[in-house]
């Protein structure tokens, strides 16, 4: 037999023994020392010292009193003295319950036979008696199948069963001669001697190995299939283990932004050849004990909604046609999207004005104590011409501007000075008054709204007279980012919108923002009558 075949056989045998725990035949390997006999070993190690003949049969020994020094005896673990030990719940988030339906909390123990079930928003990290860490993801159920200490041989015995869902495992290394960790699923069992891998159980079992080697077995009595780091395999409903396939490479994340300033967080990692889908996860730190957001997309366009401002780590991987998830790529980023920038109204994008006075207007943001407005000669704002740091209200007239093209942007500022991200850059053209000015246009024509959008987006736009939008006065679906409404009756109104991407993804609503229609003196056309620079308002 060649050296390569001998190595493969030895590896298969070494991997097969952890799976034997599933058949209640896992063994502890004992090296025989001078003076050892089976009877003496039975008295020293076995629950029932009289069961030493079973050790003899397991090792095909004809004479229990004559055992060669240095011989390796395989002692079935079920014969060894053991103490029950509890697994520990290290962390939980969302809905996590034990077998009795009661909520689990950090610090609680889970005995052998106990279960941990996570809801749609639930996750848990569990440490087994041997130090193995299990990160149980949402909509999963796991049972601690085995949790024992073998004090006489300084070993432990741990195992779990994943009935459904997903678990990420960092199995503690097993010492030579000691049992390793194994996990059952409805289709088979996966055994290791210390490694890092992922398991998903539904109609089939998916196993993905990140470090070390995992032995995957399906039908009872079938040989285990070794799956090495960087490979994965599937056990089908009939217990057949598919040949291992190479996991897809990690998507490229080098060019992704490190600062996100929109409530809807978007990432576009580099596509991976052979991928049919992508999974993106967001956590507070690189340990990923608790995943705060988890999305699966048919394209490498990942979107996350509902994250509060803060520092995060993105983890993304590609999924192949077998449903196996590939290697991870990680990317740290900061989200600073609040308080949201107000929706600008005046001047409209690329508007043309005459004179040296420009009126700016925007919708009010309830999270803002005041606003910061910048005006610049270009879109870089490196040296703004005006930097107005404490603007109250939602309208401001700026005088003394020379003719030219200007850019402006606005941000919301909380009472404690916390400034949110800048709104979109907008520009306007300021021209000098003609030598003979035309007669001014008197009256109000309506209320104009405009905002920035991405190519292919449509918008759901709403106006209501209450901030809860219980009674909406305007509901429109727009193909362009802006519209002008007829002048409504005097009063305060609230506006919000949300965007639908070209692929149908509907984003969250913006925060409700307000505007006010003055109670003014109107002419026969329903327009506010102006006198000088202002309207003739009626007393309230």
């Amino acid at each position: 037999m060649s050296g390569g075949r001998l190595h493969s056989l030895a590896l298969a045998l070494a991997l097969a023994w952890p799976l034997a725990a599933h058949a209640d035949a896992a063994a502890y390997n004992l090296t025989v020392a001078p003076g050892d006999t089976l009877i003496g070993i039975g008295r020293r190690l076995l629950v029932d010292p009289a069961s030493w003949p079973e050790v003899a049969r397991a090792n095909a020994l004809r004479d229990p009193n004559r055992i060669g020094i240095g011989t390796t005896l395989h002692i079935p673990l079920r014969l060894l003295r053991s103490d029950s030990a509890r697994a520990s719940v290290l962390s939980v988030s969302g809905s996590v319950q034990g077998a009795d339906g009661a909520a689990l909390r950090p610090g609680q123990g889970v005995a052998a036979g106990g279960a941990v079930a996570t809801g749609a928003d639930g996750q848990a990290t569990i440490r087994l008696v041997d130090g193995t860490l299990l990160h149980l993801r949402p909509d999963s159920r796991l049972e601690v199948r085995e949790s024992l200490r073998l004090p006489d041989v300084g070993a432990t015995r741990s195992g779990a069963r994943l009935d459904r869902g997903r678990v990420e495992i960092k199995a503690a290394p097993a010492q030579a001669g000691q049992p390793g960790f194994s996990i059952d699923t409805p289709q088979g069992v996966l055994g290791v001697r210390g490694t890092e891998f992922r398991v998903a159980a539904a109609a089939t079992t998916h196993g993905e190995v990140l470090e070390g080697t995992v032995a995957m077995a399906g039908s009872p009595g079938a040989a285990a299939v070794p799956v090495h780091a960087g490979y994965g395999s599937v056990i089908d409903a009939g217990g057949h283990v598919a040949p291992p396939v190479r996991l897809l490479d990690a998507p490229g994340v080098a060019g992704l932004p490190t600062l996100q300033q929109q409530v809807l967080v978007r990432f576009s990692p580099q596509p991976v050849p052979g991928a049919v889908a992508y999974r993106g996860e967001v956590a507070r730190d690189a340990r990923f004990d608790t995943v705060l957001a988890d999305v699966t997309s048919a394209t490498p366009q990942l979107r996350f909604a509902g994250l509060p401002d803060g520092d995060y780590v993105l983890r993304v991987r590609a999924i192949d046609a077998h449903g196996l998830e590939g290697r991870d790529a990680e990317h740290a980023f900061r989200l600073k999207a609040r308080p949201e920038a107000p929706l600008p109204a005046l001047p409209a994008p690329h508007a043309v004005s005459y004179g040296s006075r420009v009126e700016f207007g925007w919708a009010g943001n309830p999270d803002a104590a005041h606003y910061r407005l910048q005006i610049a000669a270009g879109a870089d704002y490196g040296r703004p011409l005006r930097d107005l740091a404490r603007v109250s209200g939602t309208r401001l007239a700026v005088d003394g501007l020379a003719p030219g093209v200007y850019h402006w942007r606005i941000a919301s500022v909380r009472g404690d000075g916390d400034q949110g991200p800048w709104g979109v850059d907008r520009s306007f053209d300021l021209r000098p008054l003609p030598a003979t000015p035309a007669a001014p246009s008197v009256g109000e024509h309506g209320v104009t709204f405009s905002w920035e959008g991405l190519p292919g987006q449509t918008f759901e736009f709403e106006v209501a007279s209450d901030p809860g939008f219980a009674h909406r006065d305007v509901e429109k679906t727009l193909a362009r980012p802006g519209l002008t409404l007829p002048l409504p009756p005097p009063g305060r109104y609230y506006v919000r919108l949300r965007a639908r991407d070209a692929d149908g993804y509907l984003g969250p609503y913006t925060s409700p923002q307000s505007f006010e229609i003055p109670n003014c003196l109107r002419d026969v056309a329903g327009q506010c009558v102006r006198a000088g620079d202002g309207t003739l308002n009626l007393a309230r």
Side-chain angles (χ1 to χ4, degrees):
M1 182 177 294
S2 68
R5 294 184 61 190
L6 283 170
H7 174 75
S8 298
L9 177 61
L11 176 60
L13 292 172
L15 288 170
W17 76 266
L19 302 186
H22 184 60
D24 199 27
Y28 172 74
N29 297 333
L30 175 69
T31 301
V32 175
D36 276 344
T37 65
L38 285 186
I39 295 174
I41 291 172
R43 291 172 180 165
R44 190 168 79 246
L45 302 179
L46 304 185
V47 176
D48 179 5
S51 61
W52 63 263
E54 191 168 348
V55 177
R57 289 192 295 273
N59 291 270
L61 296 178
R62 295 184 179 182
D63 186 348
N65 295 313
R66 299 184 64 182
I67 313 173
I69 297 173
T71 300
T72 299
L73 288 181
H74 306 290
I75 304 176
L77 293 181
R78 58 186 173 78
L79 301 180
L80 295 172
R81 285 192 290 264
S82 63
D83 297 328
S84 296
R86 288 176 172 263
S88 301
V89 179
L90 299 185
S91 67
V92 299
S93 67
S95 174
V96 180
Q97 297 177 337
D100 59 357
L104 287 178
R105 303 185 182 281
Q108 286 186 251
V110 181
V116 179
T118 58
D121 65 338
Q123 297 174 75
T125 299
I126 303 160
R127 183 172 59 207
L128 302 181
V129 62
D130 62 351
T132 293
L133 293 177
L134 308 177
H135 299 293
L136 196 62
R137 297 312 183 195
D139 287 323
S140 301
R141 185 184 188 279
L142 181 137
E143 177 186 327
V144 177
R145 181 173 51 81
E146 196 170 40
S147 186
L148 298 171
R149 287 190 178 91
L150 309 175
D152 295 321
V153 296
T156 57
R157 185 175 178 184
S158 70
R161 176 180 174 84
L162 181 66
D163 293 314
R164 67 172 188 275
R166 295 189 301 125
V167 62
E168 297 171 9
I169 303 166
K170 191 170 182 62
Q175 299 299 319
Q178 295 186 5
F181 168 77
S182 65
I183 182 166
D184 295 2
T185 71
Q187 293 80 32
V189 58
L190 297 87
V192 300
R193 293 190 59 83
T195 188
E196 187 172 350
F197 64 113
R198 301 187 293 249
V199 181
T204 58
T205 291
H206 289 68
E208 299 135 9
V209 183
L210 306 180
E211 294 180 4
T213 300
V214 173
M216 295 180 63
S219 304
V225 175
V227 182
H228 303 294
Y231 286 79
S233 183
V234 180
I235 308 176
D236 65 20
H240 174 261
V241 182
V245 297
R246 186 178 181 84
L247 299 180
L248 294 178
D249 291 335
V253 296
L256 298 185
T258 58
L259 176 64
Q260 291 276 355
Q261 294 185 294
Q262 301 297 323
V263 174
L264 181 62
V265 176
R266 300 172 182 265
F267 288 107
S268 298
Q270 292 297 313
V272 176
V276 300
Y278 297 82
R279 180 184 293 277
E281 299 173 322
V282 174
R284 285 290 188 184
D285 57 55
R287 293 185 306 173
F288 276 81
D289 289 342
T290 301
V291 174
L292 302 178
D294 185 342
V295 300
T296 302
S297 170
T299 70
Q301 311 301 317
L302 305 175
R303 291 165 289 214
F304 303 92
L307 293 172
D309 287 356
D311 293 316
Y312 297 97
V313 178
L314 166 72
R315 183 167 68 182
V316 59
R317 51 185 175 257
I319 304 174
D320 67 14
H322 307 284
L324 294 169
E325 301 186 5
R327 292 186 176 274
D328 293 325
E330 294 185 358
H331 173 73
F333 70 96
R334 169 168 290 183
L335 174 61
K336 182 65 175 79
R338 302 167 182 87
E340 295 179 57
L343 289 174
L346 296 173
H350 313 298
V352 177
S353 300
Y354 293 87
S356 61
R357 178 185 179 92
V358 177
E359 187 168 327
F360 297 87
W362 53 90
N365 185 341
D367 292 334
H370 54 272
Y371 304 92
R372 184 179 179 186
L373 174 69
Q374 287 187 337
I375 305 170
D380 59 357
Y381 295 90
R383 299 180 64 181
L385 303 174
R386 302 286 179 93
D387 190 349
L388 308 173
R390 297 186 63 88
V391 179
S392 300
T394 58
R395 297 180 77 90
L396 177 69
V398 176
D399 292 300
L401 295 176
V405 176
Y406 293 90
H407 290 252
W408 72 285
R409 63 183 183 179
I410 190 167
S412 299
V413 184
R414 292 192 174 103
D416 61 1
D418 178 29
Q419 178 180 314
W422 290 106
V424 295
D425 168 67
R426 297 167 68 123
S427 65
F428 61 93
D429 188 355
L430 188 61
R431 299 180 181 178
L433 288 170
T436 304
S441 175
V442 179
E444 300 287 342
H445 299 283
V447 182
T448 299
F449 302 89
S450 60
W451 55 92
E452 296 297 323
L454 298 175
Q457 282 185 327
T458 59
F459 307 91
E460 294 185 6
F461 178 86
E462 296 179 358
V463 177
S465 54
D466 65 285
F469 287 78
H471 304 287
R472 290 179 282 275
D473 300 301
V474 176
E475 292 182 83
K476 289 184 178 292
T477 299
L478 307 171
R480 298 174 56 190
L483 82 165
T484 298
L485 297 176
L487 196 67
R492 180 176 292 275
Y493 295 88
Y494 298 86
V495 59
R496 68 180 184 181
L497 62 90
R498 57 181 177 177
R500 186 184 297 274
D501 288 349
D503 63 1
Y505 182 84
L506 186 62
Y509 279 108
T510 61
S511 298
Q513 301 183 19
S514 63
F515 64 95
E516 191 163 347
I517 301 300
N519 187 17
C520 63
L521 179 65
R522 300 178 185 273
D523 60 18
V524 293
Q527 300 173 353
C528 290
V529 175
R530 291 184 175 274
D533 292 333
T535 58
L536 294 178
N537 292 331
L538 300 176
R540 293 187 181 275

